Amino acid sequence: MSILKLDIKKVPVLVCGIMFSCLQNSAVAQSYEFDIVGEWRVPGGISGRAARIRFNPAGETLVSHLEIEGLGRSNDFTLVGAFSNNSSKLCGDNQFISLCVDMAVSSNANGSITIQKCEKLPTSEYGCSVSIGDILPIERAVRLSLSGIWFVGDDNYMLLTHSSDGTVKADPVAVSGGAIIEGVSYQGNISITTGAGQITGTDYTDGRTKEIQITAATDSSFTFQTSKCIGNCYDDELDEIGLVKTAKRVDLRPGYSH
């Protein structure tokens, strides 16, 4: 699908419109049902070219940037609008066209953009080839974030910091006034798409290193097992090697890492 075309010669050309509105409303903190921050793609592309859109909410305002592959900045749109109830009307223009779309998301990974306005500006030789009502599906890769507080069994809780490159750090943490049972911190990598990975921690006081395998994970739970214990390991730690356990999230629903 082409967004723009030359009116007389009917040569399809993709061009961008830019309108960067002043953010008149203060950036009031808002609780969104879905986490939309970051990059989404248009699966079918636009006019045979890959396309993506980046969302950046600022309180009640949503600033987005639509990019279409291969044509540089002249084919990028900056669109701005109010965001509420998982939807937004986004508008922008440049010297060529004026564009407005309705954006709606149905989950952390799926949504759509519907063309509501696409008009040639009076001084432009380029016009729109899309029709009002055309719908572009948008999607993002499933990205897992395990950042938060987890109950890992036997009154033990861990604070996980999970970065967008998959690196993870797990530190013991007290919950509801309880004591920290174990002081060993773990580091490693857990895939943000599959939830599988490995973390390792060393207790330098007792002289042992434990290797933990995470076999699967979702936003609310993950399964893990001790795969190795090296050094001055207790009998119960050796008995746990290969024993599959489940950790549960105890904090609020997470957002995605970036």
Side-chain angles (χ1 to χ4, degrees), residues 5 31 47 58 73 91 105 130 153 170 183 188 202 206 245:
K5 68 178 180 182
S31 177
S47 190
R73 293 184 61 186
C91 293
V105 294
V130 295
T202 299
D206 292 336
K245 296 184 177 182

Side-chain angles (χ1 to χ4, degrees), residues 31-35 108 147 219 249 251-256:
S31 177
Y32 303 117
E33 180 180 359
F34 301 118
D35 172 32
N108 284 328
S147 293
D219 280 337
R249 181 185 289 279
D251 58 341
L252 299 178
R253 181 179 61 85
Y256 289 99

Side-chain angles (χ1 to χ4, degrees), residues 73-122:
R73 293 184 61 186
S74 65
N75 200 42
D76 296 347
F77 294 82
T78 297
L79 306 171
V80 180
F83 180 57
S84 63
N85 298 322
N86 304 315
S87 63
S88 179
K89 182 174 183 179
L90 303 167
C91 293
D93 67 313
N94 71 348
Q95 68 268 36
F96 299 109
I97 66 169
S98 180
L99 176 67
C100 287
V101 302
D102 282 350
M103 186 278 295
V105 294
S106 55
S107 72
N108 284 328
N110 296 101
S112 65
I113 293 175
T114 303
I115 305 296
Q116 294 297 335
K117 174 186 176 183
C118 191
E119 297 179 353
K120 181 185 75 168
L121 296 180

Side-chain angles (χ1 to χ4, degrees), residues 83-246:
F83 180 57
S84 63
N85 298 322
N86 304 315
S87 63
S88 179
K89 182 174 183 179
L90 303 167
C91 293
D93 67 313
N94 71 348
Q95 68 268 36
F96 299 109
I97 66 169
S98 180
L99 176 67
C100 287
V101 302
D102 282 350
M103 186 278 295
V105 294
S106 55
S107 72
N108 284 328
N110 296 101
S112 65
I113 293 175
T114 303
I115 305 296
Q116 294 297 335
K117 174 186 176 183
C118 191
E119 297 179 353
K120 181 185 75 168
L121 296 180
T123 58
S124 174
E125 60 179 333
Y126 298 104
C128 299
S129 62
V130 295
S131 300
I132 304 302
D134 283 350
I135 300 175
L136 301 174
I138 57 174
E139 67 180 22
R140 74 192 302 175
V142 175
R143 297 192 299 164
L144 185 70
S145 174
L146 299 182
S147 293
I149 299 173
W150 296 79
F151 172 67
V152 294
D154 298 327
D155 294 325
N156 286 321
Y157 295 85
M158 300 294 285
L159 173 62
L160 270 63
T161 303
H162 192 196
S163 301
S164 58
D165 62 357
T167 57
V168 65
K169 188 171 186 289
D171 298 302
V173 64
V175 174
S176 300
I180 296 176
I181 304 300
E182 183 180 2
V184 180
S185 294
Y186 292 83
Q187 295 181 334
N189 189 283
I190 300 175
S191 169
I192 62 173
T193 56
T194 67
Q198 176 183 301
I199 58 176
T200 302
T202 299
D203 186 329
Y204 294 101
T205 301
D206 292 336
R208 65 180 181 276
T209 297
K210 293 174 67 174
E211 182 179 278
I212 307 296
Q213 295 288 338
I214 291 84
T215 53
T218 68
D219 280 337
S220 59
S221 67
F222 66 83
T223 54
F224 67 98
Q225 59 184 339
T226 300
S227 57
K228 187 183 298 183
C229 187
I230 301 172
N232 187 25
C233 302
Y234 298 124
D235 289 342
D236 58 346
E237 292 176 314
L238 295 174
D239 291 341
E240 286 185 349
I241 294 178
L243 180 63
V244 177
K245 296 184 177 182
T246 299

